[in-house]
Amino acid sequence: MFASVARTSIRAPLARTLATAPTPRRPTYVRKSTATSKPSPAPVAAAAAAARPTPAPAPKPTASKHEELDFVDYPGEIEMEMNLPDAPPPLPPVSRAHPTSGPLPSAINAVPFPSNTQVVSEGQTAVEGSAGEAPAAVDWSTSFHGISSAPFSQKQADILMRPLEPSEIEIKPDGLLYLPEIRYRRILNQAFLPGGWGMVPRGEMTVLKGLVTREWGLVAGGRLISVARGEQTFFDTANGLPTATEGCKSNALMRCCKDLGIASELWDPAFIRKFKHDHCVEAWVEHASTKKKQRRWRKKGLKFEYPYVESK
């Protein structure tokens, strides 16, 4: 009995407590899907960015001691101001076509040469066109400008190489034939006209004991023709040196003219023998003061000059 009363007394308060307590809500169950869930890209990108090392900022260019750079700041960028020179204008197109006719380029005609010689009258000649001038930069003491660059005209060659007349040729007392130096100058004046040729020194004058020598060059039409060394003997150092210097130049002129064919027969042994046989004579002469006798040459029809007298 006591046990039943006790159970009754315990159940009554429990019933009242359960009646007054709120009714709990039943949990809702959701069926799990078989597909695997993928992580959201946003968190992955954020994690990768956090793991990547942060690059160090690039250093700004600094101007050296010899350069000064001006920088202009703009929002978000830096622009350098540079003053560049203007581009040169384009060159005109070069024509590659070669003309078949017409005047030659000016570079070829930079140094004109004498043209053909026109005979005006007997004994007088004239050069057609300009005789030409050598460039001012030519140093004739060492230069060979224009040598053998072009032949002379046929008319000029005929004047230079014409045969000598017997009256023009002279003979020395020792039997040496020669043409007076003035006749060389006359032939050159006829071929090139006065002023169209000249003699230029190609070295210093050498004065030895009783002898003067110097190298000279013959220039005609602005180009070198020939080079030769002249010589002349003298006895009086005080008064004879100027005359010997002029004789040395004339001797060099005579030797240079050999290259132009002037009086070339005087170096031909066959011509020399025939001329001396036909136009010269060798005779004994006596000195008027010393009475010494010797053999000397002269041209036929002439007499020996004082102090020599031809012996009978």
Side-chain angles (χ1 to χ4, degrees):
M1 183 177 173
F2 179 79
S4 61
V5 172
R7 287 194 293 268
T8 303
S9 58
I10 294 171
R11 289 178 181 174
L14 181 62
R16 286 194 299 270
T17 303
L18 294 176
T20 57
T23 304
R25 194 180 282 186
R26 297 183 62 180
T28 303
Y29 297 94
V30 179
R31 182 178 296 179
K32 294 182 179 181
S33 176
T34 58
T36 58
S37 61
K38 297 182 179 181
S40 175
V44 175
R52 188 182 301 114
T54 304
K60 295 183 179 181
T62 58
S64 63
K65 296 181 180 179
H66 305 286
E67 297 180 356
E68 294 183 0
L69 302 179
D70 297 335
F71 294 93
V72 180
D73 297 336
Y74 291 92
E77 62 178 357
I78 298 178
E79 182 178 354
M80 181 182 297
E81 293 183 355
M82 300 179 66
N83 296 326
L84 298 178
D86 298 336
L91 298 176
V94 179
S95 176
R96 298 182 179 274
H98 297 278
T100 57
S101 62
L104 295 176
S106 59
I108 300 179
N109 296 329
V111 181
F113 296 110
S115 58
N116 295 341
T117 303
Q118 178 183 2
V119 178
V120 180
S121 61
E122 184 178 358
Q124 183 181 5
T125 57
V127 179
E128 296 178 358
S130 175
E133 296 180 355
V138 175
D139 183 8
W140 291 116
S141 63
T142 57
S143 175
F144 291 86
H145 171 77
I147 191 168
S148 72
S149 58
F152 294 112
S153 67
Q154 186 60 45
K155 293 181 179 179
Q156 287 175 312
D158 293 340
I159 295 174
L160 296 172
M161 297 187 298
R162 67 173 180 83
L164 297 178
E165 299 292 335
S167 59
E168 297 176 325
I169 302 174
E170 300 292 339
I171 187 171
K172 292 184 178 181
D174 57 358
L176 180 63
L177 301 182
Y178 70 98
L179 184 70
E181 54 86 14
I182 190 59
R183 295 193 181 272
Y184 287 98
R185 287 176 165 83
R186 290 174 181 173
I187 295 174
L188 291 173
N189 286 335
Q190 290 176 357
F192 304 111
L193 296 182
W197 66 277
M199 296 289 292
V200 292
R202 294 181 63 88
E204 298 296 332
M205 183 177 61
T206 303
V207 180
L208 304 176
K209 185 178 180 180
L211 179 67
V212 174
T213 177
R214 192 175 194 179
E215 188 178 72
W216 291 83
L218 175 61
V219 178
R223 51 191 174 124
L224 185 67
I225 302 301
S226 180
V227 176
R229 178 172 290 274
E231 60 182 355
Q232 180 64 44
T233 58
F234 67 98
F235 303 98
D236 187 0
T237 306
N239 301 321
L241 188 58
T243 304
T245 302
E246 184 67 19
C248 176
K249 178 180 178 181
S250 298
N251 183 253
L253 173 64
M254 175 192 67
R255 294 177 176 179
C256 288
C257 287
K258 288 192 298 183
D259 292 344
L260 293 175
I262 300 177
S264 60
E265 54 265 44
L266 298 182
W267 281 266
D268 185 359
F271 176 84
I272 294 175
R273 288 192 296 265
K274 187 177 186 305
F275 183 86
K276 293 173 70 174
H277 179 270
D278 297 340
H279 304 281
C280 302
V281 64
E282 185 180 21
W284 283 96
V285 296
E286 181 180 334
H287 196 276
S289 301
T290 62
K291 304 300 179 178
K292 291 183 178 180
K293 294 184 178 181
Q294 60 178 337
R295 295 180 64 88
R296 298 174 71 96
W297 285 88
R298 63 173 175 82
K299 293 181 69 175
K300 292 181 178 180
L302 300 179
K303 295 182 179 181
F304 291 105
E305 296 181 357
Y306 184 83
Y308 295 98
V309 178
E310 186 172 353
S311 301
K312 295 182 180 180

